Amino acid sequence: MTSGLRKTHLIMWLMIAVISPIILIITIKNLNIFDSESVIVLSNTNQKKVLVEDDFFKISLDDLSENHSIEIIVKKPLKASETSVFSLNKKGEKDLFLGQITTTGVYTFKCNQVSGIAFFDTIKNEFITKYTF
Amino acid sequence: MGLDYQLVLWNKHKKTYDKVILIGMLLYIILFASITLVFNSETSIETLVIRAFGTLAILMLHIILIIGPMARLNTRFLPLLYNRRHLGVSMFIAALIHGGFSIFQFHALGDVNPIYSLFTSNMDYDSLTNFPFQVLGFFALLILFAMASTSHDFYLANLSAKIWKRLHMLVYIAYTLIIFHVFLGAFQQETSLFTIVAMCLGFLIITGLHIITGIKEVTIDKQQGTYGDPNWLKVCDIDEIEEDRAKIFTVNNERVAIFKYEDKLSAIHNVCKHQGGPLGEGKIIDGCITCPWHGYQYLPSNGQSPPPFTEKVAIYELKIIGSDVYIKPKALAEGTEVIPINISK
Amino acid sequence: MSKNDDFYVGYIDHVAPKTKGFLKRFVAITLFLIVAVAVIFSLTQSTFKNSTFELTSTTQITGIYHENPYPMLRVPINHNSYKNIVLLGFGKSSVNPYLQKVMNEVVTLDKKEITVEGNLIYYNGKTLLQITSQEKVSLTHSLKNISSNIPISKLGQKTLDGEIIDPKCYFGVMKPGKGKIHRSCAVRCISGGIPPVFATKDQYNNSQYYLITDQNGMPINKDILPYIGKPSIIKGYVEEQEDWSIIKINTNDINIVSSTSDIYQ
């Protein structure tokens, strides 16, 4: 290196060594390093009989009052273009249409005796999943 | 060297070097992709490509940047410096894949020109958290492109060594831009202690190495010779110089190398005409001063490269009084013939 | 004499054994570094959402076209149950250029039954359809009784905190489809006519999505560009329209929050 190049190197690196840490510290201070994704808080279903619980759903029956309803808690976003909920008859076939499910959350559908529940994608005309009780 | 401009003058070392580069890059991409597809399978392919090649380019840049100072601190790193430009061009290719995919993904197929979108889709230039980080990456990519496309010796000769070197020193600016591209971009959303620590560690190592090396070099430059006669500077004792090697002195702010060989002494300007390598850290091979960086050669008696090569370095006059070596600080024109001083009379 | 008289010359094949050994160690360390960095940077990525973009397959859907407030297809599912699918064009464009052909066939396309073939985009209960050619849209000329009016419930003024996103990317085409990394793309999409959506969470962390319109229920695109992709608080009148909610705002009522963006589901 010539002396000129050495001098340029020195100036450049001094600038980098001084300015960069200042900006980096300001930037890092504002970052949310320990923020983790929160889990969905589930509603209190103590009085209901839990029929199914897995990673995606918690399905409970509420026929203690005159409600005759089924509660479906969707824990995670479903991977389907449309989600219709059907009850299953004793043969395990699609029976009554109960309603649609969209985002995660708690859904309550009126229904009487159920032998099972099916989640069906009407747009694609295919079953998503079925549960028999 | 460089008289006949081939794309690459292949030899065994360059082939091995390039094989290692290729294996390293493939290893990284395959590992990154496999781990992502196994543990985070809902990724999209475009995001995977953008992140894999972006992080690969950053890793490669860190390795490239430590080679320079490490070679100054330990000569065993010189083989890594020899073919560093291939590493640089490969890193640019990785960065180009990252940048190209990103420009397409985020700015193309819209209602304006993608480059216009790159500069105007986010106008928060006055904020740090909201700063348009993609602009920083774009300028870094331009610098890397300028460097990669001029990395051949053809450009070195035609742009002049001074301009070429200044252009290639922009790598430091590119490095700084990339640090902020990551901290003001990806890290604002993909925030992880591990990656932040890794990048900060990389910054500390690179900056630290450069500063340590800089201090060492400044210390060397501070060593002064003594003037007895106003025209002659006393630099050292004959025995301080090893056979077939040289000792480097700072004379009038410039470094000079005094070589001892076949019972003679010659002094040349320390800077190799190729890429500025320290000739004084070289060796006499087959009667020629050989630069430790890429093996360029110069005849000690006149500072000229042996024919058919045409490079020339400036040469200095020496005299010996007793066992002391004196140098005339004013250099003679490049290529001037100077009879080497005989040591034993 | 000297500790290290090994001298490396690149174009000479022979390399001193000590230098060779050093180089081998350096390469080994570098390969280890490559593995370590690949592991760290790949494992620390946030979990990608299971949003879907059916790029390589098309689906044919029949429904009633309406623009309340943005071009949508109202698809009958079952017994008075409908699904409203937002219609989009190719790339970062709205669907309007792709409807020109059918629009020329009728006085108004509103409430007409059409059949479209396109690529489905869906996530978390919201569905959109990308149409890539005018030829893929046709009027069904159906004579059956067209469905009832869309029921609308007015929910009054609400203040929400979340982020303005573009639904095409967020619900399937890009991952991540939100936040700073994606901001430029979202700006391009909304500037290109894709409807802006406000993504927020309720107190149980369930996501809620609101189509954003101006105070008259008309589309907003260019005016909202500076606020996209940043954590913000908006205030407006909310209406529920079957499976989509709408918030009617004045862009002056958007407040950018200076804290870092929370991760929306």
Side-chain angles (χ1 to χ4, degrees):
Chain A
M1 255 195 241
T2 58
S3 62
L5 274 176
R6 260 200 295 284
K7 199 170 177 188
T8 315
H9 267 83
L10 188 67
I11 295 172
M12 228 175 204
W13 275 102
L14 278 177
M15 276 173 57
I16 293 175
V18 168
I19 297 174
S20 303
I22 295 173
I23 303 183
L24 282 178
I25 290 170
I26 298 175
T27 310
I28 296 175
K29 248 170 30 103
N30 288 330
L31 292 178
N32 240 342
I33 301 178
F34 299 108
D35 210 28
S36 54
E37 285 214 14
S38 338
V39 173
I40 298 172
V41 174
L42 301 177
S43 74
N44 187 0
T45 55
N46 278 341
Q47 68 272 38
K48 304 185 183 85
K49 178 180 152 200
V50 177
L51 300 166
V52 170
E53 178 149 21
D54 61 16
D55 281 344
F56 276 93
F57 300 107
K58 185 174 177 179
I59 305 176
S60 321
L61 201 57
D62 176 16
D63 53 13
L64 296 174
S65 50
E66 279 163 26
N67 282 344
H68 295 291
S69 62
I70 194 161
E71 180 193 79
I72 299 176
I73 300 178
V74 182
K75 296 186 197 176
K76 285 187 191 174
L78 300 173
K79 199 177 167 89
S81 55
E82 190 277 323
T83 310
S84 289
V85 186
F86 286 88
S87 63
L88 296 177
N89 62 19
K90 291 195 172 60
K91 287 191 222 164
E93 293 159 350
K94 239 167 61 177
D95 193 12
L96 293 171
F97 172 73
L98 300 178
Q100 281 189 72
I101 279 185
T102 53
T103 57
T104 56
V106 183
Y107 294 84
T108 309
F109 301 112
K110 279 195 175 55
C111 72
N112 292 322
Q113 286 253 342
V114 271
S115 328
I117 289 281
F119 295 94
F120 184 79
D121 185 334
T122 311
I123 291 175
K124 298 237 193 137
N125 204 26
E126 57 190 33
F127 280 96
I128 299 163
T129 188
K130 284 186 200 175
Y131 297 98
T132 43
F133 315 133
Chain B
M1 278 128 281
L3 198 66
D4 164 25
Y5 288 119
Q6 289 178 280
L7 203 55
V8 183
L9 291 161
W10 289 106
N11 60 44
K12 183 173 153 224
H13 296 301
K14 285 189 190 174
K15 285 186 185 161
T16 311
Y17 200 115
D18 285 1
K19 274 188 203 138
V20 173
I21 294 176
L22 189 62
I23 290 171
M25 289 174 82
L26 282 174
L27 176 65
Y28 187 90
I29 297 294
I30 290 172
L31 203 54
F32 188 99
S34 322
I35 293 175
T36 305
L37 289 169
V38 166
F39 293 99
N40 210 342
S41 57
E42 287 284 351
T43 185
S44 74
I45 297 300
E46 303 94 337
T47 302
L48 181 59
V49 168
I50 288 171
R51 290 181 181 183
F53 283 92
T55 50
L56 172 62
I58 289 178
L59 175 61
M60 291 176 79
L61 183 58
H62 279 77
I63 295 173
I64 291 168
L65 287 175
I66 64 164
I67 291 177
M70 288 308 294
R72 299 302 302 141
L73 298 172
N74 182 350
T75 53
R76 294 216 192 271
F77 278 87
L78 285 172
L80 299 165
L81 190 115
Y82 173 64
N83 206 24
R84 184 177 50 175
R85 66 181 65 185
H86 283 209
L87 199 51
V89 173
S90 311
M91 183 266 297
F92 165 71
I93 292 172
L96 184 65
I97 294 174
H98 166 83
F101 264 80
S102 298
I103 291 177
F104 182 78
Q105 168 103 322
F106 299 118
H107 301 280
L109 300 183
D111 54 345
V112 298
N113 174 287
I115 305 295
Y116 179 76
S117 169
L118 191 139
F119 284 93
T120 58
S121 54
N122 176 354
M123 295 293 277
D124 291 349
Y125 288 93
D126 52 352
S127 156
L128 211 55
T129 29
N130 289 324
F131 193 89
F133 66 96
Q134 67 270 16
V135 172
L136 303 173
F138 182 70
F139 282 126
L141 190 63
L142 286 182
I143 292 175
L144 295 177
F145 170 72
M147 292 173 62
S149 55
T150 58
S151 66
H152 194 273
D153 277 348
F154 171 80
Y155 288 98
L156 179 59
N158 287 294
L159 286 175
S160 94
K162 192 173 176 185
I163 293 179
W164 190 94
K165 190 63 194 174
R166 284 202 152 61
L167 175 65
H168 281 252
M169 275 178 69
L170 290 178
V171 71
Y172 298 129
I173 299 192
Y175 171 67
T176 313
L177 287 172
I178 287 169
I179 297 268
F180 291 123
H181 173 69
V182 172
F183 274 86
L184 297 178
F187 280 0
Q188 293 286 318
Q189 195 169 331
E190 294 281 326
T191 318
S192 147
L193 193 61
F194 293 102
T195 49
I196 292 175
V197 166
M199 286 290 285
C200 287
L201 212 61
F203 176 75
L204 283 170
I205 291 174
I206 290 177
T207 312
L209 278 175
H210 277 84
I211 291 179
I212 290 170
T213 313
I215 292 172
K216 182 174 164 240
E217 299 292 319
V218 164
T219 315
I220 293 173
D221 278 342
K222 282 215 167 79
Q223 290 163 4
Q224 300 285 348
T226 49
Y227 280 98
D229 186 326
N231 290 325
W232 293 90
L233 180 68
K234 176 179 160 206
V235 280
C236 68
D237 192 283
I238 297 176
D239 292 333
E240 288 180 53
I241 308 175
E242 282 172 35
E243 187 65 28
D244 281 345
R245 294 286 201 159
K247 205 153 151 64
I248 302 172
F249 303 96
T250 307
V251 169
N252 272 1
N253 266 340
E254 291 305 325
R255 291 194 183 173
V256 171
I258 302 182
F259 277 89
K260 184 202 265 182
Y261 61 104
E262 296 162 17
D263 219 29
K264 294 185 281 218
L265 290 179
S266 290
I268 54 162
H269 190 227
N270 193 40
V271 182
C272 179
K273 280 295 177 183
H274 176 222
Q275 295 213 332
L279 290 173
E281 293 172 25
K283 193 174 182 177
I284 304 270
I285 294 177
D286 295 336
C288 286
I289 296 168
T290 309
C291 179
W293 283 12
H294 305 96
Y296 269 53
Q297 290 188 312
Y298 302 88
L299 291 164
S301 56
N302 55 23
Q304 290 180 22
S305 289
F309 306 110
T310 53
E311 285 82 10
K312 290 189 267 231
V313 288
I315 198 147
Y316 294 77
E317 286 174 274
L318 292 171
K319 79 176 174 187
I320 297 178
I321 299 177
S323 65
D324 295 329
V325 180
Y326 287 76
I327 188 168
K328 206 176 214 177
K330 191 159 167 11
L332 297 168
E334 292 170 1
T336 312
E337 191 75 39
V338 171
I339 299 167
I341 305 283
N342 269 315
I343 295 173
S344 46
K345 292 208 170 117
Chain C
M1 258 190 112
S2 68
K3 285 185 292 186
N4 169 24
D5 201 41
D6 300 333
F7 189 73
Y8 173 83
V9 182
Y11 47 80
I12 293 174
D13 278 359
H14 174 258
V15 178
K18 275 212 185 105
T19 308
K20 221 186 222 172
F22 175 84
L23 289 173
K24 284 195 179 137
R25 281 198 305 277
F26 180 83
V27 169
I29 293 173
T30 307
L31 289 175
F32 170 76
L33 187 67
I34 287 174
V35 170
V37 171
V39 166
I40 291 175
F41 277 83
S42 59
L43 283 180
T44 52
Q45 294 178 88
S46 314
T47 311
F48 292 103
K49 304 299 170 204
N50 64 356
S51 50
T52 308
F53 175 39
E54 293 186 352
L55 174 65
T56 52
S57 66
T58 55
T59 311
Q60 204 173 66
I61 305 179
T62 303
I64 307 296
Y65 176 84
H66 67 91
E67 282 178 21
N68 304 345
Y70 292 100
M72 291 208 252
L73 203 62
R74 189 175 186 231
V75 181
I77 297 296
N78 209 313
H79 290 158
N80 273 342
S81 195
Y82 295 87
K83 187 154 188 81
N84 287 279
I85 297 178
V86 175
L87 297 173
L88 306 162
F90 175 73
K92 300 179 170 77
S93 163
S94 79
V95 75
N96 294 324
Y98 301 87
L99 298 172
Q100 285 308 308
K101 183 168 147 279
V102 273
M103 278 180 168
N104 292 336
E105 293 175 26
V106 282
V107 173
T108 168
L109 197 58
D110 190 43
K111 294 206 170 59
K112 298 284 185 298
E113 194 185 62
I114 58 172
T115 298
V116 292
E117 189 187 324
N119 310 93
L120 281 168
I121 299 165
Y122 46 87
Y123 171 68
N124 203 11
K126 294 287 176 245
T127 307
L128 304 94
L129 191 72
Q130 170 186 264
I131 300 174
T132 56
S133 155
Q134 294 191 61
E135 308 304 318
K136 303 227 165 114
V137 185
S138 53
L139 287 156
T140 60
H141 301 291
S142 164
L143 294 174
K144 66 176 192 243
N145 203 359
I146 299 305
S147 56
S148 49
N149 282 330
I150 303 170
I152 299 178
S153 349
K154 292 195 200 290
L155 300 179
Q157 198 176 69
K158 273 195 183 184
T159 302
L160 305 166
D161 92 86
E163 186 178 309
I164 299 174
I165 50 119
D166 88 273
K168 186 172 187 183
C169 297
Y170 181 93
F171 289 110
V173 175
M174 299 227 179
K175 301 191 191 198
K178 58 182 187 278
K180 187 173 185 194
I181 292 176
H182 179 255
R183 191 175 165 211
S184 292
C185 179
V187 166
R188 277 285 67 73
C189 284
I190 293 174
S191 174
I194 290 174
V197 166
F198 197 74
T200 177
K201 279 190 197 168
D202 67 12
Q203 73 257 54
Y204 300 108
N205 265 352
N206 294 310
S207 285
Q208 295 174 331
Y209 309 107
Y210 297 79
L211 285 163
I212 304 174
T213 68
D214 69 11
Q215 290 176 313
N216 301 319
M218 298 304 286
I220 296 186
N221 292 96
K222 301 272 193 271
D223 290 338
I224 209 168
L225 297 182
Y227 308 99
I228 297 172
K230 298 174 183 172
S232 43
I233 296 176
I234 65 174
K235 198 172 60 178
Y237 287 92
V238 175
E239 283 178 9
E240 220 167 69
Q241 196 174 278
E242 272 182 332
D243 52 341
W244 274 99
S245 299
I246 296 163
I247 187 162
K248 298 178 175 176
I249 64 163
N250 182 327
T251 49
N252 294 330
D253 290 333
I254 304 176
N255 278 316
I256 302 295
V257 172
S258 57
S259 71
T260 53
S261 181
D262 200 346
I263 308 291
Y264 294 99
Q265 201 177 20

